[in-house]
């Protein structure tokens, strides 16, 4: 029997998934069911686009519910207090600058489920986070890029 995949994430990330799951079950699922019932009342289902659209949406929502349940059941909530205060780890925010003289950048390192680069949250599985995890303030780290070269960054600050 294969082992279930675990999903490393912050407590905040797990809570967001739980809220989304509750919304899907309590609000969206019943709304779609009502739409299907209304569409059925229109008669011939084979040419009923409202019915087909609602059934497609129902399939998507049910799939998402199962995915969320699996992620929540197999969540590995990371305790950022388990590492040194100045050490980069999942659940912490790191500020670094590309050497020699680029502007500092700040990112929170989160599980892949929570990643949102536009919101400043990068996955622990990304090359950047992978290179930084376990390093401490003041260290210079070589970060591999997809084109085969690497850049050097200096860790300036680490916070929870």
């Amino acid at each position: 029997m294969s082992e279930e995949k675990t999903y490393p994430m912050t407590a905040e990330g797990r809570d967001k998934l739980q809220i989304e799951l509750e919304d899907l079950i309590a609000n969206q699922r019943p709304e779609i069911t009502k739409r299907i019932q209304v569409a059925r009342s229109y008669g011939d289902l084979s040419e009923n686009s409202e019915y087909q659209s609602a059934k497609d949406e129902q399939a998507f929502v049910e799939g998402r519910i199962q995915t969320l349940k699996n992620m929540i059941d197999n969540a590995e909530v990371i305790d950022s207090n388990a590492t040194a205060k100045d050490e980069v780890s999942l659940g912490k925010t790191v500020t670094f600058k590309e050497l020699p003289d680029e502007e500092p950048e700040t990112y929170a390192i989160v599980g892949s489920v929570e990643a949102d680069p536009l919101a400043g949250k990068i996955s622990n599985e990304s090359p950047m986070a992978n290179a930084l995890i376990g390093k401490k303030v003041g260290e210079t780290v070589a970060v591999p890029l997809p084109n085969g070269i690497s850049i050097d960054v200096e860790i300036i600050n680490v916070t929870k």
Side-chain angles (χ1 to χ4, degrees):
M1 186 174 202
S2 67
E3 206 173 297
E4 285 286 332
K5 178 181 178 182
T6 59
Y7 299 91
M9 63 183 75
T10 63
E12 176 189 336
R14 187 200 53 217
D15 293 344
K16 283 183 178 181
L17 292 179
Q18 188 65 44
I19 289 167
E20 180 184 352
L21 176 62
E22 289 168 6
D23 177 60
L24 288 171
I25 292 171
N27 300 320
Q28 293 187 36
R29 183 189 265 170
E31 180 184 313
I32 293 169
T33 301
K34 286 178 191 171
R35 286 186 25 223
I36 290 172
Q37 289 172 347
V38 169
R40 274 191 182 142
S41 70
Y42 297 151
D44 186 8
L45 298 181
S46 65
E47 295 181 16
N48 188 329
S49 63
E50 288 90 0
Y51 177 78
Q52 192 56 50
S53 174
K55 290 297 281 183
D56 290 346
E57 190 173 347
Q58 181 183 43
F60 174 80
V61 167
E62 292 302 324
R64 183 68 179 155
I65 287 171
Q66 291 309 309
T67 299
L68 290 172
K69 282 181 178 180
N70 183 45
M71 284 188 225
I72 292 166
D73 289 346
N74 295 296
E76 180 185 341
V77 178
I78 303 301
D79 179 13
S80 61
N81 293 323
T83 58
K85 190 172 148 182
D86 65 342
E87 182 179 337
V88 179
S89 70
L90 193 89
K92 291 188 178 177
T93 299
V94 60
T95 302
F96 59 87
K97 70 176 183 175
E98 186 179 337
L99 297 175
D101 57 3
E102 293 291 322
E103 291 295 314
E105 298 178 45
T106 301
Y107 293 98
I109 299 180
V110 297
S112 60
V113 171
E114 303 170 76
D116 183 358
L118 297 177
K121 296 179 179 185
I122 59 173
S123 167
N124 63 314
E125 297 173 2
S126 71
M128 178 63 74
N130 222 351
L132 294 172
I133 289 175
K135 306 298 189 284
K136 295 188 176 189
V137 172
E139 286 189 51
T140 299
V141 180
V143 178
L145 299 177
N147 62 4
I149 62 170
S150 64
I151 58 170
D152 289 332
V153 300
E154 179 184 357
I155 301 172
I156 299 171
N157 191 24
V158 176
T159 59
K160 289 185 193 174

